[in-house]
Amino acid sequence: MTTTAGTAAPAGTAAPAATDQDLLYSEVEDDLRASVRALLADRCPHTAVLARCEGDEPHDPALWSALAADLGAAGLAVPEERGGHGASWRETAVVMEELGRSAAPVPFLGSAVLAAAALLGCDPRRQEAAELLAGVASGTTAAALAVDFSTAPGAEFPCAVRADDAGALTGRVTAVADAPAAQVLLVPAIGPDGPGLYAVDAAGAGVSTAVPPALDLTRRIGHLDLDGAAGRLLAGPDRARAALERALLTGAGMLASEQLGLAEWCLEETVRHVRGRTQFGRPVGSFQALKHRLADLWLEVVSARAAARSAADALASNAPDADVAVAVAQSYCADVAVHAAEECVQLHGGIGMTWEHPAHLYLKRAKADQIALGTPGRHRARLAGLVGLPPV
Amino acid sequence: MTSNPTAVDAGELRRRVAEFLAGHDPAGTDRLEFLRARFDAGLAWVHYPVGLGGLGAPRTLQPLVDAEFAAAGAPDNDPRRNGIGLGMAAPTILAHGSEELKQRLLRPLWTGEEVWCQLFSEPGAGSDLAALATRAVPEKGPDGDGAGGTWVVDGQKVWTSSAHLARWAILIARTDPDLPKHRGITYFVCDMTDPGVEVRPLRQITGEAEFNEVFLTGVRIPDSHRLGAVGEGWRVAQTTLMNERVAIGGGPAPREGGMAGVVADAWRGRPEGRTPELHARLMRLWVEAEAQRLAAERLRQQLAAGGVGSEGAGMKLGFARLSQALSGLEVELLGAEGLEYDDWTMRRPDHVDFTGREAGYRYLRAKGNSIEGGTSEILRNIIAERVLGLPAEPRSDKDVPWKDLPR
């Protein structure tokens, strides 16, 4: 899939930055964080995540229900009149941070972010879409957006799935995030009138989901084969393209907050370890060689937080330069998360290389996240067009 | 000057500025006369005490006063010319100086009539400033024992900006070599017109001389010019440095401000120099600069909300790394033109602009960003120890008398 380098800004000018962004956390957001963190501390210890990740059901349905439905996290960005809680992507980003901190095996990104954002782009008067959005927002339905997880914002509308006049879908979509946990698949397909977005029951006839071993043990992907699967039209040519683009942009922006939370955990855990670990008669954290690496990593996390907040705020306020904010945040935070996870493994020494230590859960999540919704290089290429810095 | 300082709020300050401007037409008044009168009206630094240029008002109200004066087209005190005086000397004099010293020094400091410099770093004491070797000895004489008398100072200081312009200096010198290094230091105000003070320009890699070496030979300092107790100089210097960090103000920095904007403009203006490799580096650095800008903006918002921003410690570290990487990229982007340099002539710039002159200068000047005001290595130690809570390196110099340390 190719990205189209943006052409919003004419060559020779930089896009102006939004000047009124709130980059801090509100009291409501702090309270939400405390609730989510308490739930995850109680229900999602690393031992449980490790024990589950090789089983038949790698995601945790009980935890998902507690988070999405009981705590209401799945409907934060959905207006109340459409079945959600009427908060915004800023609050959703705080949940993503906490999920990143705990490497929680729940389909939040697939359902509450990607699917919810796509459904928000559908015509609310279309009953099928409205009901599905309400189900996703309440946490009773888990949905997945059937695009290759490596797709970046700005990508061409996918044409791998075709819909016939009766809405029967045929085609193959690889690497769909959170597909194994989804009851409903949102499938972009080329219909008789052009691009459309269709709902397909994951357990319906003509749908098969192969679940390969995934690099990321805590967020599974599925390869979908659709062979005349019954699809219900959610958005036609007038809205499908924009709905998909908004979902990819929102997903990439929210993913930056997950990467921030992940990097934060890795930094804190590594600092804790090197303070306590003694070699050569002193804590290894007293050696400058390690202190300087951790100081540099801390500075990266500080900048990642600012970039992730900027993206969340831009998405929440529908800012005109949201695509710039997201490209900055995703290209920056993806690499910071990988760096943090790699430092976490290295500075834990041998223990960091073992299966029983959770560091590898974060490394695998971080590396997969770096590819997810566009690699840093793809986001930088898109950014070059958006801010008037053409490659040639 | 009879007002109750606690009653001075934003409204009262606006009223006083308006009243002052009504009596002192900015266009028709001599600049110095205007500034002196502003000081006397307590509108110089409003958080200072009444009679010393202030009104005992909250420090956060200063930007409001400055904005009112600027809006009226009033002359300012050109703070860039006297950064050491305003940022470091003044708060130290206020905290530790005698009443007589405050009355003598603060007004001409604020108006800019008297420029200040800082005699801290030495050839043998850079990152390890407390190892300094400049000696201050009480004058030998019938009743001379330092206290109440005169100190005689000998030594060499380095990297002193503005020394050639300065009327006064803040100076730290060793008064007791038998104590461990941090405990034998005393803080003074030094008269730069003393015949024992010699200032020599220190030429740097850019060709010019922003800084000086200062040689102190038998410099006489009255004990009344001591700030803080004998042996307390390190603590006094630390409180001053912390004071410097409190400053709040300024608005959000623009995207592509600073070196990122310089390089982005060079890219836009020179399509012939573009290569895929340079573009990849440009975009990485552009993103890092934008993330750093957002981090600085977030810190500004935290401080404005009354919070503490530990992020402050990292801003200079990130700034130095980025300015060096960006300025290096710019020289490469210029190709053959990057082989030239605008001017190696030795000169004394009256101010420094990191993004000024041409690409070669910017590249070379940026090398100083990771050294001046705390090296990047020291900043990493500070972050590791004070922010992350990592243990200090074992130290062999803390409890040893200064005179016994290897040098």
Side-chain angles (χ1 to χ4, degrees):
Chain A
M1 205 158 286
T2 56
T3 55
T4 51
T7 49
T13 60
T19 51
D20 53 351
Q21 286 204 308
D22 177 4
L23 302 175
L24 305 180
Y25 299 103
S26 68
E27 270 179 51
V28 172
E29 288 164 354
D30 286 340
D31 291 346
L32 172 67
R33 179 195 305 285
S35 305
V36 176
R37 191 175 291 191
L39 172 72
L40 293 169
D42 184 37
R43 305 280 286 275
C44 186
H46 290 126
T47 46
V49 177
L50 276 167
R52 181 176 286 281
C53 70
E54 288 184 286
D56 294 336
E57 196 176 45
H59 68 276
D60 183 341
L63 174 63
W64 171 241
S65 169
L67 174 77
D70 303 348
L71 221 128
L76 286 170
V78 179
E80 285 179 33
E81 64 272 18
R82 298 177 76 175
H85 297 289
S88 77
W89 294 115
R90 286 180 58 97
E91 292 80 2
T92 311
V94 170
V95 177
M96 287 293 285
E97 281 183 37
E98 292 305 309
L99 294 174
R101 281 184 71 96
S102 61
V106 289
F108 190 85
L109 177 62
S111 189
V113 176
L114 288 169
L119 289 164
L120 280 168
C122 298
D123 188 342
R125 290 163 301 185
R126 197 182 273 274
Q127 197 188 352
E128 186 73 47
E131 284 176 7
L132 189 49
L133 179 60
V136 165
S138 68
T140 51
T141 304
L145 182 65
V147 292
D148 185 313
F149 195 30
S150 68
T151 310
E156 302 288 347
F157 194 86
C159 54
V161 180
R162 299 273 157 182
D164 68 15
D165 292 344
L169 304 182
T170 301
R172 179 173 162 82
V173 189
T174 54
V176 174
D178 291 327
Q183 289 115 40
V184 179
L185 304 164
L186 310 186
V187 185
I190 306 296
D193 306 321
L197 188 65
Y198 296 81
V200 173
D201 290 333
V207 181
S208 76
T209 305
V211 181
L215 175 63
D216 183 356
L217 293 168
T218 54
R219 178 184 289 131
R220 288 304 178 89
I221 51 172
H223 301 315
L224 303 184
D225 266 308
L226 304 174
D227 183 10
R232 307 180 293 279
L233 189 66
L234 300 171
D238 55 330
R239 283 177 179 257
R241 211 183 282 276
L244 177 63
E245 172 60 20
R246 192 69 191 172
L248 293 171
L249 187 71
T250 305
M254 292 296 102
L255 188 61
S257 285
E258 176 179 298
Q259 288 157 335
L260 164 65
L262 188 159
E264 227 172 23
W265 183 88
C266 290
L267 174 63
E268 285 170 21
E269 193 59 21
T270 307
V271 166
R272 197 187 62 72
H273 175 75
V274 299
R275 286 172 71 172
R277 169 77 172 171
T278 298
Q279 293 281 273
F280 306 101
R282 43 193 273 217
V284 295
S286 69
F287 287 99
Q288 278 193 339
L290 271 57
K291 286 159 84 169
H292 286 193
R293 282 166 71 162
L294 289 167
D296 284 337
L297 183 58
W298 171 82
L299 182 57
E300 287 179 32
V301 171
V302 165
S303 295
R305 181 176 297 110
R309 284 320 276 165
S310 166
D313 192 78
L315 289 165
S317 63
N318 228 338
D321 72 340
D323 44 4
V324 172
V326 167
V328 167
Q330 188 45 234
S331 61
Y332 190 79
C333 296
D335 286 344
V336 170
V338 170
H339 184 209
E342 289 178 348
E343 290 290 68
C344 184
V345 170
Q346 172 65 22
L347 298 185
H348 273 78
I351 184 78
M353 201 64 201
T354 64
W355 187 270
E356 74 177 300
H357 192 279
H360 68 100
L361 296 174
Y362 292 85
L363 178 66
K364 291 162 187 173
R365 171 68 69 87
K367 198 63 191 168
D369 277 1
Q370 197 181 29
I371 297 166
L373 300 166
T375 58
R378 271 196 196 282
H379 285 281
R380 286 191 291 266
R382 179 169 154 80
L383 192 58
L386 293 170
V387 300
L389 293 169
V392 286
Chain B
M1 301 287 176
T2 54
S3 67
N4 173 6
T6 57
V8 178
D9 58 11
E12 173 65 11
L13 281 177
R14 279 201 190 87
R15 193 193 64 73
R16 287 189 187 215
V17 173
E19 189 183 72
F20 180 86
L21 288 168
H24 303 79
D25 175 19
T29 314
D30 170 69
R31 176 177 177 275
L32 212 46
E33 206 175 297
F34 184 92
L35 291 171
R36 286 175 183 157
R38 181 177 160 184
F39 185 93
D40 294 340
L43 296 168
W45 32 32
V46 295
H47 56 294
Y48 272 51
V50 173
L52 293 172
L55 295 166
R59 183 174 188 151
T60 47
L61 294 177
Q62 184 66 37
L64 177 151
V65 172
D66 292 339
E68 297 271 313
F69 276 105
D76 73 3
N77 58 344
D78 199 2
R80 214 165 50 162
R81 247 185 99 242
N82 200 13
I84 298 290
L86 293 163
M88 298 187 66
T92 314
I93 294 164
L94 183 66
H96 299 282
S98 64
E99 200 51 40
E100 195 189 343
L101 218 48
K102 292 180 204 172
Q103 293 293 345
R104 163 63 187 87
L105 296 173
L106 288 175
R107 191 168 91 151
L109 184 160
W110 185 82
T111 60
E113 288 164 79
E114 292 182 346
V115 171
W116 285 67
C117 68
Q118 172 192 303
L119 298 174
F120 279 22
S121 294
E122 298 183 4
S127 291
D128 186 10
L129 180 60
L132 60 90
T134 292
R135 290 292 316 275
V137 179
E139 187 171 47
K140 295 276 186 289
D143 55 345
D145 65 345
T150 301
W151 297 82
V152 180
V153 179
D154 287 276
Q156 183 189 345
K157 297 287 181 176
V158 75
W159 295 114
T160 313
S161 45
S162 303
H164 55 300
L165 306 172
R167 173 67 179 79
W168 298 99
I170 43 176
L171 164 73
I172 48 177
R174 187 157 309 281
T175 43
D176 191 344
D178 294 325
L179 289 173
K181 63 182 183 180
H182 291 91
R183 302 217 302 267
I185 295 171
T186 303
Y187 200 120
F188 299 97
V189 169
C190 176
D191 183 345
M192 292 294 284
T193 64
D194 186 287
V197 175
E198 188 197 348
V199 177
R200 295 184 201 160
L202 181 60
R203 199 174 182 201
Q204 64 206 47
I205 61 174
T206 55
E208 60 191 2
E210 289 168 45
F211 302 94
N212 302 277
E213 297 176 287
V214 178
F215 295 83
L216 305 167
T217 312
V219 174
R220 296 165 57 80
I221 298 180
D223 191 53
S224 60
H225 283 192
R226 171 168 48 80
L227 298 179
V230 173
E232 287 290 301
W234 186 255
R235 199 181 53 78
V236 173
Q238 290 301 109
T239 53
T240 315
L241 289 169
M242 280 197 288
N243 206 318
E244 195 184 19
R245 295 199 168 248
V246 186
I248 302 170
R255 182 177 283 164
E256 287 193 8
M259 205 72 87
V262 172
V263 182
D265 288 344
W267 184 268
R268 294 187 183 107
R270 295 175 168 273
E272 68 280 5
R274 296 172 187 170
T275 69
E277 190 271 344
L278 287 174
H279 190 250
R281 275 163 62 201
L282 172 73
M283 290 315 298
R284 259 181 203 280
L285 292 172
W286 195 95
V287 166
E288 285 172 28
E290 175 67 359
Q292 166 103 1
R293 178 187 75 83
L294 290 164
E297 168 60 11
R298 186 163 192 276
L299 174 66
R300 196 187 66 83
Q301 292 181 6
Q302 274 177 299
L303 293 173
V308 182
S310 62
E311 280 90 341
M315 290 300 116
K316 180 179 176 287
L317 181 60
F319 164 77
R321 202 187 61 73
L322 270 172
S323 67
Q324 292 174 355
L326 284 161
S327 61
L329 178 68
E330 190 196 2
V331 174
E332 285 175 74
L333 176 61
L334 296 184
E337 211 178 301
L339 297 172
E340 296 184 30
Y341 191 77
D342 60 350
D343 187 2
W344 293 115
T345 308
M346 156 69 191
R347 46 181 158 178
R348 317 239 16 180
D350 53 3
H351 71 274
V352 183
D353 180 0
F354 298 151
T355 58
R357 288 180 57 177
E358 291 186 7
Y361 166 82
R362 291 190 279 270
Y363 170 70
L364 294 171
R365 185 60 187 82
K367 295 299 164 214
N369 295 157
S370 55
I371 301 168
E372 57 203 346
T375 65
S376 291
E377 288 68 29
I378 291 293
L379 291 177
R380 288 189 182 95
N381 283 352
I382 290 172
I383 291 165
E385 289 170 23
R386 301 198 194 151
V387 181
L388 297 178
L390 291 170
E393 292 257 350
R395 295 269 297 266
S396 58
D397 60 345
K398 275 201 160 166
D399 303 313
V400 183
W402 174 82
K403 63 180 167 54
D404 297 332
L405 289 174
R407 267 188 294 285

